[in-house]
Coordinates of all heavy atoms in Angstrom, one line a residue:
M18 N 86.7 189.1 106.0 CA 85.9 188.4 104.9 C 85.4 189.5 104.0 O 84.9 190.5 104.4 CB 84.8 187.6 105.5 CG 84.0 186.9 104.5 SD 82.5 186.0 105.2 CE 83.2 184.9 106.4
T19 N 85.6 189.3 102.7 CA 85.1 190.3 101.8 C 83.6 190.2 101.6 O 83.0 189.2 102.0 CB 85.8 190.1 100.4 OG1 85.3 188.8 99.9 CG2 87.3 190.1 100.4
I20 N 83.0 191.3 101.1 CA 81.6 191.3 100.9 C 81.1 190.2 100.0 O 80.2 189.5 100.3 CB 81.1 192.7 100.4 CG1 81.3 193.8 101.4 CG2 79.7 192.6 99.9 CD1 81.0 195.2 101.0
E21 N 81.9 189.9 99.0 CA 81.6 188.8 98.1 C 81.6 187.5 98.8 O 80.7 186.7 98.6 CB 82.6 188.8 96.9 CG 82.2 187.7 95.9 CD 83.2 187.7 94.7 OE1 83.5 188.8 94.1 OE2 83.6 186.6 94.3
K22 N 82.6 187.2 99.6 CA 82.6 186.0 100.4 C 81.5 185.9 101.4 O 80.9 184.9 101.6 CB 84.0 185.8 101.1 CG 85.1 185.5 100.2 CD 85.0 184.1 99.7 CE 86.3 183.8 98.9 NZ 86.2 182.5 98.3
S23 N 81.2 187.0 102.0 CA 80.1 187.1 103.0 C 78.8 186.8 102.3 O 78.0 186.0 102.8 CB 80.1 188.5 103.7 OG 79.0 188.5 104.6
N24 N 78.6 187.4 101.2 CA 77.3 187.1 100.4 C 77.3 185.6 100.0 O 76.2 185.0 100.1 CB 77.3 188.0 99.2 CG 77.0 189.4 99.5 OD1 76.5 189.8 100.6 ND2 77.3 190.3 98.6
Q25 N 78.4 185.1 99.6 CA 78.4 183.7 99.2 C 78.0 182.8 100.4 O 77.3 181.9 100.3 CB 79.7 183.3 98.6 CG 79.8 181.8 98.2 CD 81.1 181.4 97.7 OE1 82.0 182.2 97.5 NE2 81.3 180.1 97.4
H26 N 78.6 183.1 101.5 CA 78.3 182.4 102.8 C 76.8 182.3 103.1 O 76.3 181.3 103.3 CB 79.1 183.0 103.9 CG 78.7 182.4 105.3 ND1 79.2 181.2 105.7 CD2 77.9 182.9 106.2 CE1 78.7 180.9 106.9 NE2 77.9 182.0 107.2
Y27 N 76.2 183.5 103.0 CA 74.8 183.6 103.3 C 73.9 182.9 102.3 O 72.9 182.3 102.5 CB 74.4 185.0 103.6 CG 74.9 185.5 105.0 CD1 75.9 186.4 105.0 CD2 74.5 184.9 106.2 CE1 76.5 186.8 106.2 CE2 75.0 185.3 107.4 CZ 76.0 186.2 107.4 OH 76.6 186.6 108.6
E28 N 74.3 183.1 101.0 CA 73.6 182.4 99.9 C 73.6 180.9 100.0 O 72.6 180.2 99.8 CB 74.1 182.9 98.6 CG 73.7 184.3 98.2 CD 74.4 184.8 96.9 OE1 74.8 184.0 96.1 OE2 74.4 186.0 96.8
L29 N 74.8 180.4 100.4 CA 74.9 178.9 100.6 C 74.1 178.5 101.7 O 73.5 177.4 101.7 CB 76.4 178.5 100.8 CG 77.3 178.7 99.5 CD1 78.8 178.4 99.9 CD2 76.9 177.8 98.4
K30 N 74.1 179.3 102.8 CA 73.3 178.9 104.0 C 71.8 179.0 103.6 O 71.1 178.1 104.1 CB 73.6 179.9 105.1 CG 72.9 179.6 106.4 CD 73.3 180.6 107.5 CE 72.5 180.3 108.7 NZ 72.7 181.3 109.8
D31 N 71.4 180.0 102.9 CA 70.0 180.1 102.5 C 69.5 178.9 101.7 O 68.3 178.6 101.8 CB 69.8 181.4 101.7 CG 69.9 182.6 102.6 OD1 69.8 182.5 103.9 OD2 70.0 183.7 102.1
V32 N 70.3 178.3 100.8 CA 69.8 177.2 100.0 C 69.9 175.9 100.8 O 69.6 174.9 100.3 CB 70.5 177.1 98.7 CG1 70.3 178.3 97.8 CG2 72.0 176.8 98.8
G33 N 70.5 175.9 102.0 CA 70.6 174.7 102.8 C 71.7 173.8 102.5 O 71.7 172.7 102.8
L34 N 72.8 174.4 101.9 CA 73.9 173.6 101.5 C 74.7 173.1 102.8 O 75.1 173.9 103.6 CB 74.9 174.3 100.6 CG 76.0 173.5 100.0 CD1 75.4 172.4 99.1 CD2 76.8 174.4 99.1
R35 N 74.8 171.8 103.0 CA 75.4 171.3 104.2 C 76.5 170.3 103.7 O 76.7 170.1 102.5 CB 74.4 170.5 105.0 CG 73.3 171.4 105.5 CD 73.7 172.2 106.7 NE 72.6 172.9 107.3 CZ 72.2 174.1 107.1 NH1 72.9 174.9 106.3 NH2 71.2 174.7 107.7
A36 N 77.1 169.7 104.7 CA 78.3 168.8 104.4 C 77.9 167.7 103.5 O 78.7 167.3 102.6 CB 78.8 168.3 105.7
Q37 N 76.7 167.1 103.6 CA 76.4 165.9 102.8 C 76.1 166.4 101.3 O 76.5 165.7 100.4 CB 75.2 165.2 103.3 CG 75.5 164.5 104.6 CD 74.3 164.1 105.4 OE1 73.3 164.8 105.5 NE2 74.3 162.9 106.0
A38 N 75.6 167.5 101.2 CA 75.3 168.1 99.8 C 76.7 168.4 99.2 O 76.9 168.1 98.0 CB 74.5 169.3 99.9
T39 N 77.6 169.0 100.0 CA 78.9 169.3 99.5 C 79.7 168.0 99.1 O 80.3 167.9 98.0 CB 79.7 170.1 100.5 OG1 79.0 171.2 100.9 CG2 81.1 170.5 100.0
A40 N 79.6 167.0 99.9 CA 80.2 165.7 99.6 C 79.7 165.1 98.4 O 80.4 164.6 97.5 CB 80.1 164.8 100.8
A41 N 78.4 165.1 98.2 CA 77.8 164.6 97.0 C 78.3 165.3 95.8 O 78.6 164.7 94.7 CB 76.2 164.7 97.1
G42 N 78.4 166.6 95.9 CA 78.9 167.4 94.8 C 80.3 167.1 94.5 O 80.7 167.0 93.3
L43 N 81.1 166.9 95.5 CA 82.6 166.6 95.3 C 82.7 165.3 94.6 O 83.5 165.1 93.7 CB 83.3 166.5 96.7 CG 84.7 166.0 96.6 CD1 85.6 167.0 95.9 CD2 85.3 165.7 98.0
V44 N 82.0 164.3 95.0 CA 82.0 162.9 94.4 C 81.6 163.1 92.9 O 82.3 162.6 92.0 CB 81.1 161.9 95.1 CG1 81.0 160.6 94.3 CG2 81.7 161.6 96.5
Q45 N 80.5 163.8 92.6 CA 80.1 163.9 91.3 C 81.1 164.7 90.4 O 81.4 164.3 89.3 CB 78.7 164.6 91.2 CG 78.1 164.7 89.8 CD 77.9 163.4 89.2 OE1 77.5 162.4 89.9 NE2 78.1 163.2 87.9
L46 N 81.7 165.8 91.0 CA 82.7 166.5 90.3 C 83.9 165.7 90.0 O 84.4 165.7 88.8 CB 83.1 167.7 91.2 CG 84.3 168.6 90.6 CD1 83.9 169.2 89.3 CD2 84.7 169.6 91.6
C47 N 84.4 164.9 90.9 CA 85.5 164.0 90.7 C 85.2 163.0 89.6 O 86.0 162.7 88.7 CB 85.9 163.3 91.9 SG 86.7 164.3 93.1
K48 N 83.9 162.4 89.6 CA 83.5 161.5 88.6 C 83.5 162.1 87.2 O 84.0 161.5 86.2 CB 82.2 160.9 88.9 CG 82.2 159.9 90.1 CD 80.9 159.6 90.7 CE 80.0 158.8 89.8 NZ 78.7 158.4 90.5
E49 N 83.0 163.3 87.1 CA 83.0 164.1 85.9 C 84.4 164.4 85.3 O 84.6 164.2 84.2 CB 82.2 165.4 86.0 CG 80.7 165.2 86.4 CD 79.8 164.7 85.2 OE1 80.2 164.9 84.1 OE2 78.8 164.1 85.5
L50 N 85.2 164.9 86.2 CA 86.6 165.2 85.8 C 87.4 164.0 85.4 O 88.2 164.0 84.5 CB 87.3 165.9 87.0 CG 86.8 167.4 87.3 CD1 87.5 167.9 88.5 CD2 87.0 168.3 86.1
H51 N 87.1 162.9 86.1 CA 87.8 161.6 85.7 C 87.3 161.1 84.4 O 88.1 160.7 83.5 CB 87.5 160.5 86.8 CG 88.2 159.2 86.5 ND1 87.5 158.2 86.0 CD2 89.5 158.8 86.7 CE1 88.3 157.1 85.8 NE2 89.5 157.5 86.2
G52 N 86.0 161.2 84.2 CA 85.4 160.8 82.9 C 85.9 161.7 81.7 O 86.0 161.2 80.6
A53 N 86.2 162.9 82.0 CA 86.7 163.8 80.9 C 88.2 163.7 80.8 O 88.8 164.4 79.9 CB 86.3 165.3 81.3
G54 N 88.8 162.9 81.6 CA 90.3 162.7 81.4 C 91.1 163.7 82.1 O 92.3 163.8 82.0
V55 N 90.5 164.6 83.0 CA 91.2 165.6 83.7 C 91.9 165.0 84.9 O 93.0 165.4 85.3 CB 90.3 166.8 84.1 CG1 91.0 167.8 84.9 CG2 89.7 167.4 82.8
L56 N 91.2 164.1 85.6 CA 91.8 163.4 86.8 C 92.1 162.0 86.4 O 91.2 161.3 85.8 CB 90.8 163.4 87.9 CG 90.5 164.7 88.6 CD1 89.4 164.5 89.7 CD2 91.7 165.3 89.3
D57 N 93.3 161.5 86.7 CA 93.6 160.1 86.5 C 93.3 159.3 87.7 O 92.9 159.9 88.8 CB 95.1 160.0 86.0 CG 96.1 160.5 87.0 OD1 95.7 160.8 88.2 OD2 97.3 160.5 86.6
E58 N 93.6 158.0 87.7 CA 93.3 157.2 88.8 C 94.1 157.5 90.0 O 93.7 157.5 91.2 CB 93.6 155.7 88.5 CG 92.5 155.1 87.6 CD 91.1 155.0 88.2 OE1 91.0 154.7 89.5 OE2 90.2 155.2 87.5
A59 N 95.4 157.9 89.8 CA 96.3 158.3 90.9 C 95.7 159.5 91.6 O 95.7 159.6 92.9 CB 97.7 158.6 90.4
A60 N 95.2 160.5 90.9 CA 94.6 161.7 91.5 C 93.3 161.3 92.3 O 93.1 161.8 93.5 CB 94.2 162.7 90.5
L61 N 92.5 160.4 91.8 CA 91.3 160.0 92.5 C 91.7 159.2 93.8 O 91.1 159.4 94.9 CB 90.4 159.1 91.7 CG 89.5 159.7 90.6 CD1 88.7 158.7 89.9 CD2 88.6 160.7 91.3
D62 N 92.8 158.4 93.7 CA 93.2 157.7 94.9 C 93.7 158.7 95.9 O 93.5 158.4 97.1 CB 94.4 156.7 94.5 CG 93.8 155.5 93.7 OD1 92.6 155.3 93.7 OD2 94.7 154.9 93.1
R63 N 94.4 159.7 95.6 CA 94.9 160.7 96.5 C 93.7 161.5 97.2 O 93.7 161.7 98.4 CB 95.8 161.7 95.9 CG 97.2 161.1 95.5 CD 98.2 162.2 95.1 NE 97.8 163.0 93.9 CZ 98.0 162.6 92.6 NH1 98.6 161.5 92.4 NH2 97.6 163.4 91.7
I64 N 92.7 161.8 96.4 CA 91.5 162.4 96.9 C 90.8 161.5 97.9 O 90.5 161.9 99.1 CB 90.5 162.8 95.8 CG1 91.2 164.0 95.0 CG2 89.2 163.3 96.3 CD1 90.5 164.2 93.7
K65 N 90.6 160.2 97.5 CA 90.0 159.3 98.4 C 90.8 159.0 99.7 O 90.2 159.0 100.8 CB 89.7 158.0 97.7 CG 88.6 158.1 96.7 CD 88.2 156.8 96.0 CE 89.2 156.3 95.0 NZ 88.8 155.1 94.3
A66 N 92.1 159.0 99.6 CA 93.0 158.8 100.7 C 92.9 160.0 101.7 O 92.8 159.8 102.9 CB 94.4 158.6 100.3
S67 N 92.8 161.2 101.1 CA 92.7 162.4 102.0 C 91.3 162.3 102.8 O 91.3 162.6 104.0 CB 92.7 163.6 101.1 OG 92.5 164.8 101.8
I68 N 90.3 161.9 102.1 CA 89.0 161.8 102.7 C 89.0 160.8 103.8 O 88.5 161.0 104.9 CB 87.9 161.6 101.7 CG1 87.7 162.7 100.8 CG2 86.5 161.2 102.4 CD1 86.8 162.4 99.5
A69 N 89.6 159.6 103.5 CA 89.6 158.5 104.4 C 90.5 158.8 105.6 O 90.1 158.5 106.8 CB 90.2 157.2 103.7
D70 N 91.6 159.5 105.4 CA 92.4 159.9 106.6 C 91.6 160.8 107.5 O 91.7 160.7 108.8 CB 93.6 160.7 106.1 CG 94.6 159.8 105.4 OD1 94.5 158.6 105.5 OD2 95.5 160.3 104.7
E71 N 90.8 161.8 107.0 CA 90.1 162.7 107.8 C 89.0 161.9 108.6 O 88.8 162.1 109.7 CB 89.5 163.8 106.9 CG 88.7 164.8 107.7 CD 89.6 165.7 108.6 OE1 90.8 165.8 108.3 OE2 89.0 166.2 109.6
I72 N 88.3 161.0 107.9 CA 87.2 160.3 108.5 C 87.8 159.3 109.6 O 87.1 159.2 110.6 CB 86.4 159.5 107.5 CG1 85.6 160.4 106.6 CG2 85.4 158.5 108.1 CD1 84.9 159.8 105.4
A73 N 88.9 158.8 109.3 CA 89.5 157.8 110.3 C 89.8 158.5 111.6 O 89.9 157.8 112.7 CB 90.8 157.2 109.7
L74 N 90.0 159.8 111.6 CA 90.2 160.5 112.9 C 89.0 160.4 113.8 O 89.1 160.6 115.0 CB 90.5 162.0 112.6 CG 91.8 162.3 111.9 CD1 91.9 163.8 111.6 CD2 93.0 161.8 112.7
T75 N 87.8 160.1 113.3 CA 86.6 160.0 114.1 C 86.3 158.5 114.4 O 85.1 158.2 114.8 CB 85.4 160.6 113.4 OG1 85.1 159.8 112.2 CG2 85.7 162.0 113.0
C76 N 87.2 157.6 114.3 CA 87.0 156.2 114.5 C 86.5 156.0 115.9 O 87.1 156.4 116.9 CB 88.3 155.4 114.3 SG 88.2 153.7 114.6
P77 N 85.4 155.2 116.1 CA 84.9 154.9 117.4 C 85.9 154.0 118.1 O 86.7 153.2 117.5 CB 83.6 154.0 117.1 CG 83.2 154.4 115.7 CD 84.5 154.7 115.0
R78 N 86.0 154.1 119.4 CA 87.0 153.4 120.2 C 86.8 151.9 120.2 O 87.7 151.1 120.4 CB 87.0 153.9 121.7 CG 87.4 155.3 121.8 CD 87.4 155.7 123.2 NE 88.8 155.4 123.7 CZ 89.2 155.9 124.8 NH1 88.5 156.7 125.6 NH2 90.4 155.6 125.2
S79 N 85.6 151.5 119.9 CA 85.3 150.0 119.8 C 85.7 149.4 118.6 O 85.6 148.1 118.4 CB 83.8 149.8 120.0 OG 83.1 150.5 118.9
I80 N 86.3 150.1 117.6 CA 86.7 149.5 116.3 C 88.2 149.9 116.1 O 88.6 151.0 116.4 CB 85.9 150.2 115.1 CG1 84.4 149.9 115.4 CG2 86.3 149.6 113.8 CD1 83.5 150.7 114.4
R81 N 88.9 148.9 115.6 CA 90.3 149.1 115.3 C 90.4 150.2 114.2 O 89.7 150.1 113.2 CB 91.0 147.8 114.9 CG 91.3 146.9 116.0 CD 92.2 145.7 115.6 NE 92.7 145.7 114.3 CZ 92.4 144.7 113.4 NH1 91.5 143.8 113.7 NH2 92.9 144.8 112.2
R82 N 91.3 151.1 114.4 CA 91.4 152.2 113.4 C 91.8 151.7 112.0 O 91.2 152.2 111.0 CB 92.5 153.3 113.9 CG 92.5 154.5 113.0 CD 93.4 155.6 113.5 NE 93.0 155.9 114.9 CZ 92.3 157.1 115.2 NH1 92.0 157.9 114.2 NH2 92.0 157.3 116.4
D83 N 92.7 150.8 111.9 CA 93.0 150.3 110.5 C 91.8 149.6 109.8 O 91.6 149.8 108.6 CB 94.3 149.4 110.6 CG 94.1 148.1 111.4 OD1 93.2 148.1 112.4 OD2 94.8 147.1 111.2
K84 N 91.1 148.8 110.6 CA 89.8 148.2 110.1 C 88.8 149.3 109.6 O 88.2 149.2 108.6 CB 89.3 147.3 111.1 CG 87.9 146.7 110.8 CD 87.9 145.6 109.7 CE 86.6 145.0 109.6 NZ 85.9 145.1 108.4
F85 N 88.6 150.3 110.5 CA 87.7 151.3 110.2 C 88.1 152.1 108.9 O 87.3 152.3 108.0 CB 87.7 152.3 111.4 CG 86.7 153.4 111.3 CD1 85.3 153.2 111.5 CD2 87.1 154.7 110.9 CE1 84.4 154.3 111.4 CE2 86.2 155.8 110.8 CZ 84.9 155.5 111.0
R86 N 89.4 152.4 108.8 CA 89.9 153.1 107.6 C 89.7 152.3 106.4 O 89.3 152.8 105.3 CB 91.3 153.6 107.8 CG 91.7 154.5 106.7 CD 93.2 155.0 106.8 NE 93.5 155.9 105.8 CZ 93.7 155.6 104.5 NH1 93.5 154.4 104.1 NH2 94.1 156.6 103.7
N87 N 90.0 151.0 106.5 CA 89.8 150.1 105.3 C 88.3 150.0 104.9 O 88.0 150.0 103.7 CB 90.3 148.7 105.6 CG 91.8 148.6 105.6 OD1 92.5 149.4 105.1 ND2 92.3 147.6 106.3
D88 N 87.4 150.0 105.9 CA 86.0 150.0 105.5 C 85.6 151.3 104.8 O 84.8 151.3 103.9 CB 85.1 149.9 106.8 CG 85.2 148.4 107.4 OD1 85.7 147.5 106.7 OD2 84.7 148.3 108.5
V89 N 86.1 152.4 105.3 CA 85.9 153.7 104.7 C 86.4 153.7 103.3 O 85.7 154.2 102.4 CB 86.5 154.9 105.6 CG1 86.5 156.2 104.8 CG2 85.8 155.0 106.9
C90 N 87.6 153.2 103.1 CA 88.2 153.2 101.7 C 87.3 152.4 100.8 O 87.1 152.8 99.6 CB 89.6 152.7 101.8 SG 90.8 153.8 102.5
D91 N 86.8 151.2 101.3 CA 86.0 150.4 100.4 C 84.7 151.1 100.1 O 84.3 151.0 98.9 CB 85.6 149.1 101.2 CG 86.8 148.1 101.3 OD1 87.8 148.3 100.6 OD2 86.7 147.2 102.2
R92 N 84.1 151.8 101.0 CA 82.9 152.6 100.7 C 83.1 153.7 99.8 O 82.3 154.0 98.9 CB 82.3 153.1 102.0 CG 81.7 151.9 102.9 CD 81.3 152.4 104.2 NE 81.0 151.2 105.0 CZ 80.1 151.3 106.0 NH1 79.5 152.4 106.4 NH2 79.9 150.2 106.8
L93 N 84.3 154.4 99.9 CA 84.6 155.5 99.0 C 84.8 154.9 97.6 O 84.4 155.6 96.6 CB 85.9 156.2 99.5 CG 85.7 157.1 100.7 CD1 87.0 157.6 101.2 CD2 84.8 158.3 100.3
D94 N 85.5 153.8 97.5 CA 85.7 153.2 96.2 C 84.3 152.9 95.5 O 84.1 153.2 94.3 CB 86.5 151.9 96.3 CG 87.9 152.1 96.6 OD1 88.4 153.2 96.3 OD2 88.6 151.1 97.0
S95 N 83.4 152.4 96.3 CA 82.0 152.1 95.8 C 81.3 153.4 95.4 O 80.7 153.4 94.3 CB 81.2 151.3 96.8 OG 81.8 150.1 97.0
L96 N 81.4 154.4 96.2 CA 80.8 155.7 95.9 C 81.3 156.3 94.6 O 80.6 156.7 93.7 CB 81.0 156.7 97.0 CG 80.0 156.7 98.2 CD1 80.5 157.6 99.3 CD2 78.6 157.1 97.7
F97 N 82.7 156.4 94.5 CA 83.3 157.0 93.3 C 83.1 156.2 92.1 O 83.1 156.7 91.0 CB 84.8 157.2 93.6 CG 85.1 158.5 94.4 CD1 84.9 158.6 95.7 CD2 85.5 159.6 93.7 CE1 85.1 159.7 96.4 CE2 85.8 160.8 94.4 CZ 85.6 160.8 95.8
S98 N 82.9 154.9 92.2 CA 82.6 154.0 91.0 C 81.2 154.0 90.6 O 80.8 153.6 89.5 CB 83.1 152.6 91.3 OG 82.3 152.0 92.2
G99 N 80.3 154.5 91.5 CA 78.9 154.5 91.2 C 78.2 153.1 91.6 O 77.0 152.9 91.3
E100 N 78.9 152.2 92.2 CA 78.4 150.9 92.6 C 77.5 151.0 93.9 O 76.6 150.1 94.0 CB 79.5 149.9 92.8 CG 80.3 149.6 91.6 CD 81.6 148.8 91.9 OE1 81.7 148.4 93.1 OE2 82.4 148.6 91.0
L101 N 77.8 151.9 94.8 CA 77.1 151.9 96.0 C 75.7 152.4 95.8 O 75.4 153.4 95.2 CB 77.8 152.9 97.0 CG 77.3 152.9 98.4 CD1 77.5 151.5 99.1 CD2 78.0 153.9 99.3
K102 N 74.7 151.6 96.3 CA 73.3 151.9 96.2 C 73.0 152.6 97.5 O 73.2 152.1 98.6 CB 72.5 150.7 96.0 CG 72.8 149.9 94.8 CD 72.5 150.7 93.5 CE 72.8 149.8 92.3 NZ 73.7 150.4 91.4
V103 N 72.3 153.7 97.5 CA 71.9 154.4 98.7 C 70.6 153.8 99.2 O 69.7 153.5 98.5 CB 71.6 155.9 98.3 CG1 71.1 156.6 99.6 CG2 72.9 156.6 97.8
G104 N 70.7 153.5 100.5 CA 69.5 152.8 101.1 C 69.4 153.3 102.5 O 69.8 154.4 102.9
T105 N 68.9 152.4 103.4 CA 68.8 152.8 104.8 C 70.1 152.8 105.5 O 71.1 152.2 105.0 CB 67.9 151.8 105.5 OG1 68.5 150.5 105.6 CG2 66.5 151.7 104.8
H106 N 70.2 153.4 106.6 CA 71.4 153.5 107.4 C 71.8 152.1 107.9 O 73.0 151.9 108.2 CB 71.3 154.5 108.5 CG 70.4 154.0 109.7 ND1 69.0 153.9 109.6 CD2 70.7 153.4 110.8 CE1 68.5 153.4 110.7 NE2 69.5 153.1 111.5
A107 N 70.9 151.2 108.0 CA 71.2 149.9 108.6 C 72.4 149.2 107.9 O 73.2 148.5 108.5 CB 70.0 149.0 108.6
G108 N 72.4 149.3 106.6 CA 73.5 148.7 105.8 C 74.8 149.4 105.9 O 75.8 148.9 105.4
L109 N 74.9 150.5 106.5 CA 76.1 151.3 106.6 C 76.8 151.2 108.0 O 77.8 151.9 108.2 CB 75.8 152.8 106.3 CG 75.2 153.1 104.9 CD1 74.8 154.5 104.8 CD2 76.2 152.7 103.8
E110 N 76.2 150.5 108.9 CA 76.8 150.4 110.2 C 78.1 149.7 110.2 O 78.3 148.7 109.5 CB 75.8 149.7 111.2 CG 74.6 150.5 111.4 CD 73.6 149.7 112.3 OE1 73.9 148.6 112.7 OE2 72.5 150.3 112.5
Y111 N 79.1 150.2 110.9 CA 80.4 149.6 111.0 C 80.4 148.5 112.0 O 79.7 148.5 113.0 CB 81.4 150.6 111.4 CG 81.7 151.7 110.4 CD1 81.1 152.9 110.4 CD2 82.6 151.4 109.3 CE1 81.3 153.9 109.5 CE2 82.8 152.3 108.3 CZ 82.2 153.6 108.4 OH 82.4 154.5 107.4
E112 N 81.2 147.5 111.8 CA 81.3 146.4 112.7 C 82.1 146.8 113.9 O 83.0 147.6 113.8 CB 82.1 145.2 112.1 CG 81.4 144.6 110.9 CD 82.2 143.4 110.3 OE1 82.9 142.8 111.0 OE2 82.1 143.2 109.1
T113 N 81.7 146.3 115.1 CA 82.4 146.6 116.3 C 83.5 145.5 116.5 O 83.4 144.5 115.9 CB 81.5 146.7 117.5 OG1 80.9 145.4 117.7 CG2 80.4 147.8 117.4
A114 N 84.4 145.8 117.3 CA 85.6 144.9 117.5 C 85.2 143.6 118.0 O 85.8 142.6 117.6 CB 86.6 145.6 118.5
G115 N 84.1 143.5 118.8 CA 83.7 142.2 119.4 C 82.7 141.4 118.5 O 82.4 140.3 118.8
A116 N 82.2 142.0 117.5 CA 81.2 141.4 116.7 C 81.8 140.3 115.7 O 82.9 140.5 115.3 CB 80.4 142.4 115.9
D117 N 81.0 139.3 115.4 CA 81.4 138.2 114.5 C 80.7 138.4 113.2 O 79.6 138.7 113.0 CB 81.1 136.9 115.1 CG 82.1 136.6 116.2 OD1 83.3 136.8 116.1 OD2 81.6 136.1 117.3

């Protein structure tokens, strides 16, 4: 690791940058680039698919993987469009396989 990369690592750590902050920045960056015409819909779809594929690897055993991934995709669509309202975690819980 170069000194510059090492310094960046510690500076990011010092400001408390974590995965959620990085994700928020990524979503905002994508929205800005899309709004400026740099990213088209197909590019946003590929970015969201890549994120959904990674998240789907953590699917709980009690939920069908295809259902879980579809839920993730729906939430990503809402996040990237700006429709998703941030609230309590209760509204974000995934349905279990046996729930109606």
Side-chain angles (χ1 to χ4, degrees):
M18 183 183 301
T19 66
I20 291 175
E21 183 177 314
K22 287 288 186 185
S23 178
N24 288 342
Q25 179 181 355
H26 170 79
Y27 289 111
E28 287 175 19
L29 291 172
K30 184 178 176 187
D31 288 345
V32 299
L34 191 59
R35 300 283 189 261
Q37 289 164 322
T39 304
L43 172 67
V44 169
Q45 185 62 38
L46 176 64
C47 288
K48 289 165 68 173
E49 297 286 338
L50 292 173
H51 182 259
V55 176
L56 289 177
D57 61 9
E58 285 298 322
L61 282 180
D62 288 343
R63 289 190 301 272
I64 291 167
K65 291 186 284 187
S67 177
I68 294 168
D70 290 344
E71 183 66 25
I72 293 172
L74 294 175
T75 65
C76 178
R78 295 182 90 166
S79 61
I80 304 173
R81 287 189 2 243
R82 187 174 302 258
D83 60 335
K84 169 75 169 116
F85 182 79
R86 190 180 184 289
N87 287 338
D88 287 348
V89 168
C90 288
D91 290 344
R92 292 173 188 204
L93 286 171
D94 287 341
S95 295
L96 274 173
F97 277 78
S98 70
E100 295 172 6
L101 187 65
K102 303 293 186 238
V103 178
T105 66
H106 73 283
L109 298 175
E110 294 175 1
Y111 291 99
E112 296 179 31
T113 59
D117 290 314

